[in-house]
Amino acid sequence: MDTDRLAQQLSAVVGPDHVLGDPALCASYETDFTGRYRGRARLVVRPADTAQVAQVLRCCHAAGVPVVTQGGNTGLVGGSVPTPDGGEVVLSLRRLDGIGAVDTAVGQVTVGAGVVLKP
């Protein structure tokens, strides 16, 4: 499937402002925070909720396009960075940034996948 068609399908799911194809806009998603790992994304998609995540994955699967998932992009092994060939869609979970109630009795809080632990 060509990138333009996939971008249109994904835009219908998450909105056009949350499907990035411009290299300047994709750059921060193509490098880990240490700067050691770099790649190139076919597209970057930023869903707002788990229903959109599921639909994005369905679209990419139907198109045969691999997906690289990013939470806060703070990993140390490059697993959230696309490969240099530019074939993958980066699924950024940054918008899933909800923070639930803190349970002080057990020292626990439930957070979304895009919550950065320490900026």
Side-chain angles (χ1 to χ4, degrees):
M1 172 180 285
D2 68 57
T3 299
D4 289 340
R5 183 169 172 213
L6 181 59
Q8 290 172 352
Q9 290 177 343
L10 296 172
S11 292
V13 175
V14 300
D17 291 341
H18 297 291
V19 177
L20 310 177
D22 180 319
L25 297 175
C26 292
S28 67
Y29 299 89
E30 297 172 332
T31 304
D32 75 322
F33 85 104
T34 69
R36 288 178 39 201
Y37 302 99
R38 298 178 186 279
R40 201 177 81 210
R42 180 176 183 159
L43 295 166
V44 175
V45 183
R46 304 179 304 190
D49 56 38
T50 56
Q52 288 184 357
V53 170
Q55 189 59 38
V56 166
L57 290 173
R58 280 188 209 97
C59 289
C60 290
H61 176 72
V65 175
V67 175
V68 174
T69 306
Q70 283 185 2
N73 201 17
T74 57
L76 298 175
V77 296
S80 66
V81 177
T83 59
D85 69 8
E88 298 100 349
V89 165
V90 171
L91 177 65
S92 171
L93 303 176
R94 288 183 187 174
R95 291 178 66 203
L96 280 73
D97 60 357
I99 299 176
V102 176
D103 184 338
T104 57
V106 295
Q108 176 178 318
V109 62
T110 301
V111 301
V115 172
V116 177
L117 300 177
K118 182 177 181 183

